[in-house]
Amino acid sequence: MRTDLYQGHDYYMLDDLLTEEHKLIRDAAREWVKKEVSPIIEDAAEKCVFPRHLLPGLGEIGAFGPYIPAEYGGPGLDQISYGILMQELERCDSGLRSTASVQSSLVMYPIWRYGSEEQKQAFLPKLATGEMMGCFGLTEPDHGSNPGGMTTNFKDDGDHVILNGAKMWISNAPFADIAVVWAKNEAGRIKGIIVERGMEGFSTPTMHGKWSLRASDTGELIFDNVRVPKSNILPGRDGLGAPLSCLDSARYGIAWGAIGAALDCYDTALRYSQERIQFDRPIGQFQLQQKKLAEMITEITKAQLLTFRLGQLRDSGKATSPQISMAKRNNVDMALTIARDARQMLGGMGITGEYPIMRHMMNLESVVTYEGTHDIHLLITGLDVTGLNAFV
Amino acid sequence: MKLLVCISQAPDTTSRIAFTNGNTEFDSSGVQYIVNPYDEWYALVRAIELKEKHGGTVTTLTVGEAGCDPVIRKALAIGADDAIRVDVKPTDAMQVARLIADQARSGGYDIILCGKETIDHNGAVVPAMVAEMLDCGFVSNATHLDVAGSQATLKREAAGGEEVVGIECPFVLSAAKGMAEQRIPNMRGIMSARTKPLAVESAESTSATAISQFTLPPEKGACKMVDADRPEELIRLLREEAKAI
């Protein structure tokens, strides 16, 4: 892969709305990514290997639970900082961002919001540094867009519960030390349970054959009569709303992350359009190429404005789930469209690992599907504006 | 060990360079500023390494207006303990050196570390001026620094090789590539930088020089390709058009 020459693009001067600390966090993350990840990411994706040696570094730049308060080992940053970090990671690779998203929003967030004080003290500080890694079990082989239909369940067994079932498409599963698993109790109520690696009957086989998120580990969670102490159940909230609130946090991070992928594709295509000579002139001089570039930066700018405002709403506690759905859906679709257009602009070079575009494009096919598909998010908006439920 | 690191800001290397006011002032609109790399990557990081090894404090000193605060916060995030900003717009090397020397004189610093030059005006004379004003030793273009007690050993770039120099503290050095490896601020450093002291000092200053005019270098011409089997044409072009030989 070529030297990472990426520069940010800020057409509407949104930097003026960021604090100096936001910019310092962003620049540090960008420098770290360029130094530690960019030189190896193409090879990791090609070999389908997750570069685990990056985990302590991700902890160092604050990518694990940036909004977790200092008393639990986090830096206690705002939601815009979290978004900025996700943007910088996905600017390099969606798989890298996925690892950080899962750790932050799907593992640390539920423990922080719904865990007991003992659970927070036991897990959050180690999760913040990357010394301990986690994953999140909600999706099942037969229940993707309809998680409420889950069959994973647990039964009372004195001071323990007995957990049975299986989860699928779980980022970080193959190496996670803990899994925050959502399962139904005997009354059919969904509860969150922290399952720890080493518990008898708990296994995490790796899923192979992915053409997307190849530099990220994905696996299954299998529970075969796993005895879990009742003290590992999250006491603070139950029902489907609990995991969905975690998804709100993760989807918010994805909305920022997708802008990162789009920016990298745009930046690559813009630079290429000025260097690639055809018919004795740079291809950027041709109207059809300018149309693509102009539309890209327009869509990126719209997404930046949408997402910055969403960050403000998250910080003030006003953001609704449908607002988050709109941003996730819009931004990932925007990034995917830009990746495809950028790939065309690079011609044959666009399909090679010499440039990051094809990798982004393949990654975004996952991102447009996970954490609520493109279609499901549309129906969430539809329900919100009409008041009529299209899911049932 | 008390260490003082002189930090200046410089336009990011990707900045578009333009001038205003009849080409007498740099146009800073839209320009992103960074910590001058020689100050950050080499002088500051080596100072922090020495502090980690021997104990002591690292103070940064900047001559500049409030717009410099972000780069100072970055230096604090990387690991400096505190910072001083002399609230004066820097205009020439003599003025900046005087202001640095005035601050450093009463500080009792063992070593004053500067970058070998700032990547905007590239004057590279401030460190030597500061040493002269403080009447202490000076080592330029240092690529290596070790300290044992009050005695320091440095390596410096020299034509065709390097010199090893011994010097007694206090002294001033200008740091070149090789003295240390870049450090990226981690989240703990960024958070702690929030509360580290940044003292703003006012001062009177006068400049010895004034910019009469800036001009940009001529635009690069188109590339001319010469067939490998026509070296005489290459020589003719170099002699008659480029006037390089």
Side-chain angles (χ1 to χ4, degrees), chain A residues 83-115:
Chain A
I84 287 169
L85 282 161
M86 296 304 106
Q87 178 176 296
E88 290 305 316
L89 296 182
E90 192 149 3
R91 200 283 298 172
C92 183
D93 192 81
S94 302
L96 187 70
R97 198 269 306 138
S98 296
T99 294
S101 277
V102 168
Q103 181 88 337
S104 301
S105 288
L106 302 182
V107 180
M108 299 178 76
Y109 181 86
I111 294 173
W112 173 43
R113 295 305 299 268
Y114 311 130

Side-chain angles (χ1 to χ4, degrees), chain B:
Chain B
M1 181 179 293
K2 285 191 75 176
L3 301 163
L4 182 70
V5 183
C6 300
I7 297 284
S8 49
Q9 67 173 12
D12 191 352
T13 49
T14 58
S15 302
R16 184 176 296 179
I17 303 300
F19 305 106
T20 59
N21 265 351
N23 288 336
T24 59
E25 284 184 28
F26 175 61
D27 182 1
S28 60
S29 57
V31 171
Q32 296 291 322
Y33 285 94
I34 58 173
V35 184
N36 177 44
Y38 290 107
D39 303 344
E40 177 191 334
W41 297 2
Y42 309 125
L44 175 64
V45 174
R46 187 59 191 145
I48 293 166
E49 289 171 351
L50 289 173
K51 183 192 95 167
E52 289 166 351
K53 188 175 175 186
H54 300 291
T57 57
V58 175
T59 300
T60 69
L61 175 56
T62 301
V63 176
E65 294 172 309
C68 295
D69 285 354
V71 302
I72 298 172
R73 286 285 167 211
K74 183 179 182 188
L76 293 169
I78 291 171
D81 298 289
D82 62 333
I84 303 166
R85 178 169 63 79
V86 181
D87 192 20
V88 171
K89 183 179 180 180
T91 49
D92 75 0
M94 181 68 88
Q95 171 225 28
V96 171
R98 279 198 185 113
L99 293 167
I100 291 172
D102 288 346
Q103 286 295 321
R105 197 168 283 118
S106 58
Y109 298 105
D110 297 296
I111 308 173
I112 298 173
L113 300 94
C114 310
K116 73 167 186 172
E117 61 187 333
T118 304
I119 61 164
D120 47 11
H121 297 278
N122 302 88
V125 293
V126 168
M129 288 178 167
V130 170
E132 171 65 20
M133 290 169 187
L134 295 175
D135 193 24
C136 64
F138 172 61
V139 180
S140 64
N141 295 332
T143 56
H144 177 88
L145 167 66
D146 264 326
V147 182
S150 63
Q151 183 71 27
T153 305
L154 299 94
K155 291 180 184 170
R156 64 181 299 278
E157 295 170 352
E162 66 177 17
E163 295 172 356
V164 179
V165 182
I167 191 168
E168 189 79 15
C169 296
F171 68 96
V172 180
L173 68 82
S174 71
K177 184 178 179 182
M179 180 169 275
E181 292 274 330
Q182 178 193 10
R183 273 193 195 187
I184 297 168
N186 60 26
M187 186 55 68
R188 194 174 303 277
I190 292 170
M191 303 306 292
S192 66
R194 282 179 180 172
T195 52
K196 287 180 177 175
L198 194 173
V200 179
E201 305 285 348
S202 55
E204 294 294 318
S205 77
T206 52
S207 301
T209 59
I211 300 291
S212 302
Q213 192 181 36
F214 287 110
T215 52
L216 290 170
E219 284 196 23
K220 283 184 184 170
C223 181
K224 284 191 178 172
M225 305 297 288
V226 179
D227 286 343
D229 55 0
R230 296 181 60 209
E232 71 285 355
E233 173 64 3
L234 176 63
I235 291 166
R236 188 192 69 76
L237 288 170
L238 286 170
R239 180 171 288 142
E240 295 177 12
E241 290 197 14
K243 300 190 190 310
I245 53 175

Side-chain angles (χ1 to χ4, degrees), chain A residues 146-160:
Chain A
N146 176 25
M150 69 173 65
T151 58
T152 299
N153 65 88
F154 62 91
K155 292 185 169 54
D156 197 295
D157 186 33
D159 56 357
H160 286 68

